[in-house]
Each structure stands twice: as C-alpha cells, then as structure tokens.
C-alpha cells in the first residue's frame, strides 16, 4: 500500500460492499471508506423486481452490510454522498459537498444506470427500476385493479411482469425486437419464457416499436407503430442500462463500453481499479474478448478479486459468466456466453425443463443455458460451468444423453 492513506471504494452496491468485506477478511488493517450515493446501507438488487414487489408486509431488500458489521469491521460508510472528481496526481477523491478524501488506492464500483426513454413525458406513472426507492414507489401500483405496461422484454421487464401478474394485475409487455430476451438468451429458451408468461395471462407484443407516450394524472397511453394504443395505469421501462463512467472519464481514465480495465481490474491510471457493472474487461475463456457484465455473480466475484489485487495479489479474472432469472415457478440459468457457440446440443430433463449446450468451432463447451420449474436445471448448469472453466471438449453424444456431466470433468492429477 501507499502509506496508510487506505482504500476508498466509490459505489456501495453489491460489488463495493463485497470488496470492503473481503479486504477485512484478508487481513487488511488500514482505513476502508465505502461511499454510496444512496442513503441506505448496501443491499441486494435482485430482490427488487421480485420479493420487494411481492412481499405482503414490510418489504425490504436484504442488506449486504449492516450497521453492526460495518462497526465490527471498521468500515467507514458515507451514504447519500456522490463523488464529483478524482485528483489522480494528488490521490484525492472530491465529494460533491467539497470534501477531499485522500486515498492510497481507489476502487470504482459505480454500477450502471437505467437507460432512459428519450423525450418521454415526466410524471408519477412512469417508472424505472434500479434502487430500493424505485421498487417501493412502484409497489403500490402492482395490484389486482391495475393495468401495468412494461416496455422492454429483458430480465428486469419480465421479472416485473411476473410479479405484477402474481399480484393479480393485468400486464402487457412491449418489445421492439422480434422476440423477448434477444440479448444473450437462445431462442428456444426465450420462446419457453414467452409461453410461460402468456399461460399466466400476460399479453406479450414483440416486433413493434413505440410511436409515442402520453401521461397524465389518470393513465399512461402508449401508441405503437402497428396502430395499437395501450392505455395503462402505470408504465415500467426496462430497456437496458448504461455503465456509470462519468467520474472515470472526467479523470482521464480510459473508457470502452464501461471503465476499461485489464485482467487484474486495473484501470489506465495507477492505483485506480474498477469492478462490477461499470467496467469492461478481457476474458481469457473467450480469446480476450472485452466484456461488460451486469450480473450479481460477476459483482461478487470481481469484488473479491479486487480486494485481493488492491493488496497486491496481481491475480487475473477468469470466472465463467453466470446469469439467472426467476419468473413464476421457473428458473432460467446461463453459464458462459451463448453467442460464442456454433453447435447447440439439447438435453431434456422432464417436466418441460431442458438444457442447451453451446460448443465453439473446436467443439469446446463455451456455454450452457437452461430453463425449467424449480431447481430442475441447477445441477447440469453448475457442472457445465465447471466444464467451461476447464475448457473441456465433451463428446456430443454424452451431452444429448442422460450422462452425468461430472464424469466429463478432467480427473485430478
């Protein structure tokens, strides 16, 4: 470390909080300061589109760090504060209230922000979902006498749709692409999820763009280019997210679809690192392809690696990308990058559950995706993740058959 100036972490979400915890677990003894622009303690975001909308009483997102843990681990948490500048030469972080905090090393875990609708009307009936305050504001509208329109057929939009239907609301999902889950989810799984929503009463409209949106104190009207007019009580917008890179860019740190880091999560400026949703990084399993992942697992994994490297470990990041989504009684899981696969092998698991294995040109397993009720696919996806990490070239007939994937793992030396 550079003296005892300590480590400052900008961003008090999953990644930043996990880094702070890991630093203490690794024996780091200097000052740790965790800065978040929300007044709340660090909390889990995945429940925002599910439990927080569904819980009958006292909805809240599970905390990552409590006041007790912060005190016991001597982690200084500054909530409701934003960083306005980084003095890279003087190694100081400038807060929006004018305070200047010195650092030995700095970690940026600034996350991502919802992509906003251009020229959309303002008002209390149009919602984005990123924070616990967003979820609590939306929650009263998710009820049986409401019509909830959802713009965007990605994970967030579909999870909100499932939660709204579970509470009895009428739901319409609008997706401009020809199908839902166009990004990173294979078509057979997207079709299964679309059918699941339709069976639960959701109207799913794909391949149609929005012509205009009007909102007043009574309703939101969404006019579509196919001539339809959808009149809803509330509109939830889930059209993607943008990495929060402004602070880094202003400091002269390289940006490339996120804050650009190397395999050790180091930015282009000495002693400044980045991790989580805000950063893009080269992945060794995919030929050094630069990725940016908006995923809970990635935030955890990179947070723990950042903690080690902030202390000088110089380890490379190589965790297999992993995504999941719970909708109704079904779970969708993906290990690896589906778009890297050229050959797809299907394994049926019964009860409508199935897994797709994605192989590259050398027949190496590069991804596995699955969907099904309960935990039907969990074991195969977990074992597939291990096979992907080991760069296994599996026999195609074994993937299609009822062969235990564990038997395909290389034997320990």
């Amino acid at each position: 470390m550079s003296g005892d100036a300590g480590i400052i972490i900008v961003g008090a979400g999953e990644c930043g909080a996990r880094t702070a915890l890991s630093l203490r677990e690794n024996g780091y003894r200097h000052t740790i300061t965790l800065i978040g622009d929300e007044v709340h303690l660090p909390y889990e975001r995945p429940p925002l589109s599910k439990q927080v909308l569904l819980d009958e009483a006292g909805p809240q997102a599970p905390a990552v760090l409590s006041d007790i843990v912060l005190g016991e681990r001597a982690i200084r948490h500054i909530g409701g504060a934003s960083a306005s500048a980084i003095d890279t030469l003087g190694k100081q972080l400038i807060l929006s209230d004018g305070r200047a905090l010195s650092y030995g090393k700095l970690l940026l875990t600034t996350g991502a922000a919802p992509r906003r609708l251009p020229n959309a009307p303002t008002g209390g009936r149009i919602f984005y979902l990123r924070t616990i305050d967003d979820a609590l504001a939306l929650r009263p509208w998710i009820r049986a006498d409401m019509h909830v329109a959802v713009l965007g057929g990605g994970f967030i939009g579909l999870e909100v749709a499932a939660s709204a239907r579970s509470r009895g609301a009428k739901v319409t999902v609008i997706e401009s692409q020809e199908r839902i889950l166009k990004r990173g989810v294979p078509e057979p799984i997207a079709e299964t999820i679309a059918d699941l929503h339709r069976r639960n009463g959701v109207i799913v409209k794909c391949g149609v763009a929005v012509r205009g949106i009007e909102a007043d104190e009574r309703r939101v009207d969404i006019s579509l280019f196919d001539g339809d007019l959808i009149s809803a009580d509330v509109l939830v917008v889930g059209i993607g997210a943008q990495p929060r890179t402004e602070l880094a860019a202003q400091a002269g740190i390289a940006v490339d679809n996120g804050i650009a880091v190397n395999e050790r999560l180091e930015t282009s400026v000495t002693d400044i690192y980045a991790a989580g949703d805000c950063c893009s990084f080269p992945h060794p399993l995919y030929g050094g392809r630069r990725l940016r992942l908006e995923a809970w697992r990635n935030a955890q994994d990179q947070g723990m690696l950042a903690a080690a490297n902030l202390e000088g470990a110089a380890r490379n990041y190589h965790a297999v990308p992993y995504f999941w989504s719970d909708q109704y009684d079904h779970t969708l899981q993906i290990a690896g990058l589906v778009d890297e696969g050229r050959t797809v092998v299907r394994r049926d698991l019964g009860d409508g559950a199935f897994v797709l294995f994605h192989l590259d040109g050398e027949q190496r397993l590069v991804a596995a995706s699955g969907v099904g009720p309960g935990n039907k696919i969990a074991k195969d996806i977990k074992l597939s993740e291990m096979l992907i990490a080991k760069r296994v070239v599996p026999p195609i007939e074994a993937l299609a058959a009822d062969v235990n994937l564990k038997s395909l793992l290389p034997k320990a030396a």
Side-chain angles (χ1 to χ4, degrees), residues 225-292:
F225 273 101
D226 66 359
D228 273 5
L229 176 66
I230 297 170
S231 186
D233 294 288
V234 62
L235 172 64
V236 181
V237 180
I239 55 173
Q242 296 175 306
R244 297 180 62 184
T245 61
E246 300 86 355
L247 181 66
Q250 290 170 6
I253 297 170
V255 172
D256 180 4
N257 183 31
I259 302 170
V261 299
N262 63 15
E263 55 278 345
R264 295 181 296 278
L265 305 182
E266 297 167 322
T267 71
S268 60
V269 174
T270 301
D271 289 336
I272 299 181
Y273 295 67
D277 294 9
C278 70
C279 81
S280 67
F281 60 95
H283 203 298
L285 285 173
Y286 302 101
R289 173 180 168 186
R290 183 163 288 277
L291 307 178
R292 188 177 68 81

Side-chain angles (χ1 to χ4, degrees), residues 167-322:
R167 296 194 70 183
K170 178 182 176 182
V171 179
T172 302
V173 172
I174 306 160
E175 171 54 60
S176 62
Q177 302 277 355
E178 65 270 19
R179 67 169 172 88
I180 62 170
L181 297 171
K182 182 71 172 178
R183 179 186 167 197
V185 178
E187 188 169 354
I189 289 180
E191 289 176 352
T192 298
I193 294 294
D195 289 343
L196 176 66
H197 277 274
R198 291 186 175 109
R199 290 200 308 272
N200 279 276
V202 175
I203 299 169
V204 181
K205 292 180 65 69
C206 292
V208 59
V210 172
R211 180 189 293 272
I213 298 173
E214 295 182 1
D216 58 26
E217 69 279 2
R218 295 175 293 116
R219 65 176 186 268
V220 180
D221 290 330
I222 307 107
S223 59
L224 306 178
F225 273 101
D226 66 359
D228 273 5
L229 176 66
I230 297 170
S231 186
D233 294 288
V234 62
L235 172 64
V236 181
V237 180
I239 55 173
Q242 296 175 306
R244 297 180 62 184
T245 61
E246 300 86 355
L247 181 66
Q250 290 170 6
I253 297 170
V255 172
D256 180 4
N257 183 31
I259 302 170
V261 299
N262 63 15
E263 55 278 345
R264 295 181 296 278
L265 305 182
E266 297 167 322
T267 71
S268 60
V269 174
T270 301
D271 289 336
I272 299 181
Y273 295 67
D277 294 9
C278 70
C279 81
S280 67
F281 60 95
H283 203 298
L285 285 173
Y286 302 101
R289 173 180 168 186
R290 183 163 288 277
L291 307 178
R292 188 177 68 81
L293 302 177
E294 298 167 14
W296 178 86
R297 170 82 72 81
N298 180 68
Q300 280 214 332
D301 289 345
Q302 288 196 341
M304 290 185 286
L305 182 74
N309 287 350
L310 284 163
E311 293 187 85
R315 296 176 189 163
N316 291 351
Y317 186 73
H318 52 73
V320 176
Y322 172 83

Side-chain angles (χ1 to χ4, degrees), residues 142-155:
I142 306 298
R143 61 177 196 259
D145 60 339
M146 291 287 151
H147 180 188
V148 178
V150 177
L151 184 57
F155 287 127

Side-chain angles (χ1 to χ4, degrees), residues 17-253:
R18 293 296 173 187
T19 303
L21 276 177
S22 295
L23 282 166
R24 288 297 186 229
E25 289 167 358
N26 295 346
Y28 181 75
R29 296 185 177 182
H30 298 305
T31 303
I32 300 174
T33 303
L34 181 63
I35 298 172
D37 52 12
E38 294 184 63
V39 297
H40 309 287
L41 292 172
Y43 58 85
E44 306 274 12
R45 293 192 191 277
L48 298 183
S49 56
K50 298 180 278 287
Q51 294 99 303
V52 174
L53 298 182
L54 289 172
D55 287 351
E56 290 299 324
Q60 57 184 346
V64 181
L65 292 174
S66 66
D67 281 322
I68 293 175
V69 171
L70 287 167
E72 289 176 344
R73 305 297 172 88
I75 298 169
R76 180 189 183 194
H77 174 236
I78 303 176
S82 60
S84 60
I86 304 169
D87 175 1
T88 58
L89 294 178
K91 301 187 77 170
Q92 288 191 321
L93 180 74
I94 313 302
L95 300 186
S96 54
D97 62 8
R99 279 182 288 175
L101 306 179
S102 296
Y103 64 84
K105 292 188 179 179
L106 179 67
L107 174 66
L108 303 177
T109 59
T110 47
R115 193 178 300 278
R116 300 276 166 171
L117 278 174
N119 304 317
T122 58
R125 290 177 181 262
I126 299 178
F127 291 86
Y128 299 83
L129 185 57
R130 180 68 185 181
T131 69
I132 182 64
D133 290 336
D134 293 337
L136 293 177
L138 174 61
R139 178 182 159 81
W141 299 91
I142 306 298
R143 61 177 196 259
D145 60 339
M146 291 287 151
H147 180 188
V148 178
V150 177
L151 184 57
F155 287 127
I156 290 293
L158 294 173
E159 288 172 2
V160 170
S163 295
R165 277 303 296 147
S166 297
R167 296 194 70 183
K170 178 182 176 182
V171 179
T172 302
V173 172
I174 306 160
E175 171 54 60
S176 62
Q177 302 277 355
E178 65 270 19
R179 67 169 172 88
I180 62 170
L181 297 171
K182 182 71 172 178
R183 179 186 167 197
V185 178
E187 188 169 354
I189 289 180
E191 289 176 352
T192 298
I193 294 294
D195 289 343
L196 176 66
H197 277 274
R198 291 186 175 109
R199 290 200 308 272
N200 279 276
V202 175
I203 299 169
V204 181
K205 292 180 65 69
C206 292
V208 59
V210 172
R211 180 189 293 272
I213 298 173
E214 295 182 1
D216 58 26
E217 69 279 2
R218 295 175 293 116
R219 65 176 186 268
V220 180
D221 290 330
I222 307 107
S223 59
L224 306 178
F225 273 101
D226 66 359
D228 273 5
L229 176 66
I230 297 170
S231 186
D233 294 288
V234 62
L235 172 64
V236 181
V237 180
I239 55 173
Q242 296 175 306
R244 297 180 62 184
T245 61
E246 300 86 355
L247 181 66
Q250 290 170 6
I253 297 170

